[in-house]
Amino acid sequence: MRRGARAWPAWLLPLASLLALLSMLAAGPARANVYDAELSQQLLHGPDLCAHAPCRDVMPQAGRFSLRKGRPSYVEAFAGGPGEAERLVGYVFLSTDVVDIPAYSGKPIVTLIGMDGAGVITGVRILKHSEPILLAGIPESTLLKFIAQYVGQRGDAKLEIGRGGGAGGAVGLDAISGATVTVIAENQVISRSAYEIGRQVGIFKREPRPPPRYTALDERLSWDQLLAEGSVARLQVAPGEVGLDGDGPYIDMHFGHLNVPSVGISVLGEQVYKRLMAELKPDEQAIFIIANGAVSFKGSGFVRGGIYDRIQVRQDPQSYTFRDTDYQNLYGVQAAGAPAFTESAVFIVRSENFNPAWPWQLAFLANKAEGQSGAKTFVHFDQQYWLPSRYLVGGRPLVERPEAAWRAIWRGKMVEIVLFLCVLAFTAAMYSQRDTLVRISSRKHKPWIERPRHVLWLVSVVFLGFYLKAQPSITQVLTWFHSLLHQWKWELFLSDPFIFLFWWFIIASVLVWGRGVFCGWLCPFGSLQQLALSVGKFVGLGRYQKLLPKRIHDKLRWLKYGVFAVLLGVSFFSMEAAEQLAEIEPFKTTFIVGVWNRTWPFWIFVGAILGWSFLSERPYCKYLCPLGAGLAIPGKFRLFGLKRKAECTTCHACAAGCGSHAIDSAGRIDQMECMLCLDCMILYYDDHACPPLVGERKRREKHGLALTAIDAGGYFIKLESVKDALAERAGDVAGKPP
């Protein structure tokens, strides 16, 4: 597109912005109320769950519910009419009491689940979620339809997202289009919660585990050797992980299992070890803990007869806490090289169900301050411990671990991932050869650039956008900021392979070439705007296609940076509010959710942008896109930019044809705005379009001088250089023996 004499009114863009705000306001009533539900501490942690949660919704046949019991906790449900004996009909439990599985937002989906005495799920109700994809795009009825699939399924069934062949007895469930990661996380929440409560109450039986038999090894190991082989494990929690500031550790614990002779003697010394083992019963296990940090692992509120409320040992669904009778003093560690510590203990696990031959976790419990509100939430930090194989007769037992959800996602989409990587590789390879491509092009004939880019735009819209739904968003940037500040979880970002890979490509390309490779070549919504412009030109709208005047553009382009700053700032006070305001991005409506699933303000907003795109080049990218603004800032420090020559400071040929308005009156390219269309680079080498080259070409033609090749600096190679080179070559040939 080229600038013409007539420009579109400057009020058109603010009108589009107003429509964006209207769409966001209209989104509020459409939200599912479980997004912004306030859950009381009594519901989350109080003894009477069903006084605060709708337990009858998930266990309709029950007339009375018990208080919370067990670890993890659950509620017993009883039924019985007048004159009938009350009978146990099932169990109700809150997912966050059982598992801590973050969904795409990084926060868990709080789910209430009911299960009868036979292990069949009787009801599921989501009480709260923080999923941005469900904020405004997907109606609550779709979410209710998804969780309704669990009613009637057994808690120990193998439930998988997606309808497959039922291999291995798996039960396939329909997903929610556009929210695959969210439903995979919720599937894990429901399945694991039901299974672990079922095992705890005896519905689902666990295979018996033979007691551990230790090898006859009797060694004296140093502290470094114990750490290296895993006989001693370490659990560290930084202040930032509990919402605090500080440099030192919040808690730094080392721990290990003492019943193994080599470990116990190395840590305690032979005499203390023998005395401890003599005191233990056959089914009792001793662990030691030493620690440093800002807090005590023993808990500040411990009193005689109470429990140590900051630590637990967990194995499978069972948790083991310690009372004062389970505690013994640990006065010192005998292993050479052991670190200094401020507190220590030996705790005794008194349960025949605890088997140290299988993996277990030490859990540290803490209260976490949430953001600006300072509200406290209960969190735990786990570190696995598993005895080295050489200490167990026959080695470690075979343990089947559930596959990480992100691994299953990647494996199931391997074909699409390979195709996606091919698209990224082709784009990078093509742009890396830009110098060759622009040299074989001209201002009026550039098929080697225009045709591949149109193919990439089509692929981006159809394959990346509508099919893979791989549209990067500002909400992901905000999530990364907060993950870096609070708690980084790779699993969260790995859960969507296409977004994960796309962002690595974006990071690399922005730092090497600038934002234009992604924004100008691969962004699905940017590509949709560019195709709209091409279609408009094809159907005869070319004469109406205009750019805003440069002076107006130079003011309005700062809008997107303001939008980015507002979203980032709001996110530090409320991520939910930032996600609502991020509806200024039309990406979710266009690709993720679908226009047909949104209300009329969203249709108008997207329609206005695309309608304007038929008449002007990428208006949304230029003036409103917060993602483009976020990428433009690091792109300022790219390694490679586009070429300029001395005459560009006074020549305006490239600026007149720049559809991005990225070239100023002094001929400088603003790489923060440039979409890398390469039109100016074509002119750079075109001796029929670049004024300095045109002038030199005409001068040589007038005087009958040869037209030499154009060098990397954008000039004809000097005739003197060619003559000198020919003379030197002739001399070399003459000097060679015949």
Side-chain angles (χ1 to χ4, degrees), residues 18-248:
L18 178 61
L19 289 171
L21 294 175
L22 288 174
S23 73
M24 289 185 286
L25 292 174
R31 286 185 294 141
N33 57 18
V34 293
Y35 184 88
D36 53 4
E38 293 293 334
L39 303 183
S40 68
Q41 289 299 308
Q42 287 298 313
L43 183 151
L44 294 172
H45 307 300
D48 195 351
L49 169 65
C50 294
H52 305 275
C55 293
R56 282 193 177 85
D57 287 0
V58 298
M59 185 63 68
Q61 62 269 45
R64 184 179 73 84
F65 299 94
S66 73
L67 299 179
R68 272 186 167 109
K69 57 171 46 179
R71 288 185 179 276
S73 64
Y74 60 90
V75 166
E76 291 179 330
F78 298 93
E84 296 181 5
E86 198 173 53
R87 68 186 190 280
L88 178 68
V89 293
Y91 309 89
V92 175
F93 40 95
L94 195 65
S95 63
T96 49
D97 285 339
V98 187
V99 295
D100 182 20
I101 299 175
Y104 193 75
S105 64
K107 300 177 182 178
I109 299 174
V110 183
T111 308
L112 191 70
I113 305 164
M115 184 171 62
D116 66 19
V120 175
I121 296 173
T122 58
V124 179
R125 179 163 175 179
I126 294 176
L127 303 184
K128 180 176 177 58
H129 71 78
S130 302
E131 298 300 274
I133 185 61
L134 301 178
L135 174 59
I138 296 176
E140 187 174 0
S141 59
T142 304
L143 192 58
L144 296 175
K145 183 178 178 182
F146 168 73
I147 62 176
Q149 299 177 93
Y150 290 89
V151 178
Q153 303 288 350
R154 282 186 59 84
D156 61 347
K158 187 178 180 181
L159 303 174
E160 295 181 346
I161 299 301
R163 299 289 180 173
V171 177
L173 303 173
D174 292 325
I176 298 176
S177 178
T180 306
V181 174
T182 298
V183 299
I184 286 175
E186 177 66 349
N187 180 58
Q188 280 193 308
V189 165
I190 296 172
S191 300
R192 288 178 57 180
S193 297
Y195 182 60
E196 296 201 1
I197 294 297
R199 291 212 315 191
Q200 184 178 176
V201 300
I203 300 173
F204 310 133
K205 303 299 182 183
R206 184 179 67 181
E207 293 183 6
R209 293 177 173 177
R213 292 189 300 141
Y214 304 122
T215 56
L217 293 171
D218 184 4
E219 303 171 340
R220 306 297 183 269
L221 303 174
S222 69
W223 188 258
D224 288 341
Q225 289 174 316
L226 292 169
L227 281 173
E229 71 173 10
S231 298
V232 172
R234 189 177 190 181
L235 171 57
Q236 295 176 288
V237 179
E241 295 181 273
V242 290
L244 301 176
D245 297 323
D247 297 327

Side-chain angles (χ1 to χ4, degrees), residues 39 118 151 246 421 560 566 646:
L39 303 183
V151 178
L421 289 173
K560 61 180 177 289
V566 168

Side-chain angles (χ1 to χ4, degrees), residues 656-667:
C658 181
S660 298
H661 267 326
I663 303 177
D664 63 17
S665 58

Side-chain angles (χ1 to χ4, degrees), residues 234 236-239 246-253 292-295:
R234 189 177 190 181
Q236 295 176 288
V237 179
D247 297 327
Y250 185 72
I251 191 76
D252 183 3
M253 297 190 292
N292 294 287
V295 295

Side-chain angles (χ1 to χ4, degrees), residues 332-375:
V333 174
Q334 301 302 312
F341 50 87
T342 56
E343 63 175 346
S344 61
V346 172
F347 290 107
I348 312 301
V349 183
R350 307 182 194 276
S351 174
E352 62 182 8
N353 294 323
F354 179 74
N355 193 321
W358 269 258
W360 52 273
Q361 297 84 36
L362 180 70
F364 175 74
L365 313 177
N367 287 314
K368 179 180 180 180
E370 291 290 347
Q372 297 294 325
S373 67

Side-chain angles (χ1 to χ4, degrees), residues 407-627:
R407 292 181 183 273
I409 296 171
W410 283 64
R411 189 180 64 253
K413 297 183 177 181
M414 193 53 65
V415 174
E416 291 92 336
I417 289 172
V418 171
L419 292 175
F420 181 73
L421 289 173
C422 288
V423 173
L424 299 184
F426 175 78
T427 305
M430 183 180 171
Y431 187 76
S432 69
Q433 299 301 310
R434 61 193 176 281
D435 206 60
T436 301
L437 296 176
V438 298
R439 281 178 174 272
I440 60 176
S441 304
S442 66
R443 182 174 62 87
K444 295 183 178 180
H445 185 69
K446 43 189 174 183
W448 290 102
I449 294 176
E450 281 191 336
R451 291 174 186 173
R453 289 190 76 200
H454 275 81
V455 170
L456 279 175
W457 291 333
L458 282 169
V459 169
S460 179
V461 171
V462 177
F463 181 59
L464 306 190
F466 286 112
Y467 182 72
L468 297 182
K469 304 186 184 302
Q471 170 67 66
S473 166
I474 191 62
T475 58
Q476 293 146 12
V477 177
L478 300 180
T479 300
W480 289 354
F481 267 107
H482 288 267
S483 296
L484 288 170
L485 293 174
H486 302 295
Q487 185 177 6
W488 183 273
K489 291 187 177 180
W490 279 107
E491 294 81 359
L492 171 63
F493 304 106
L494 286 164
S495 57
D496 189 323
F498 306 109
I499 293 297
F500 181 80
L501 293 171
F502 217 157
W503 270 108
W504 278 112
F505 175 86
I506 291 169
I507 292 169
S509 62
V510 165
L511 294 178
V512 175
W513 296 310
R515 64 174 282 214
V517 174
F518 165 71
C519 294
W521 294 54
L522 278 178
C523 175
F525 194 77
S527 299
L528 187 61
Q529 293 176 84
Q530 197 70 50
L531 289 174
L533 185 73
S534 297
V535 170
K537 185 176 182 180
F538 180 78
V539 299
L541 298 177
R543 57 180 174 170
Y544 302 108
Q545 292 178 338
K546 313 292 181 184
L547 296 177
L548 290 178
K550 187 72 163 62
R551 66 182 186 281
I552 296 176
H553 163 86
D554 286 342
K555 293 181 176 64
L556 293 181
R557 71 188 181 95
W558 294 105
L559 275 175
K560 61 180 177 289
Y561 297 98
V563 172
F564 172 73
V566 168
L567 289 175
L568 183 60
V570 169
S571 72
F572 288 107
F573 294 92
S574 170
M575 191 65 179
E576 289 80 3
E579 287 163 354
Q580 284 183 266
L581 293 174
E583 286 292 340
I584 198 170
E585 286 185 330
F587 309 155
K588 185 192 299 184
T589 298
T590 306
F591 299 112
I592 311 300
V593 177
V595 176
W596 51 90
N597 289 321
R598 308 306 293 267
T599 51
W600 63 267
F602 294 94
W603 307 343
I604 294 176
F605 182 45
V606 174
I609 292 172
L610 294 181
W612 193 2
S613 298
F614 278 96
L615 303 173
S616 187
E617 187 169 331
R618 296 176 179 261
Y620 178 80
C621 301
K622 288 193 184 89
Y623 306 121
L624 283 180
C625 183
L627 177 61

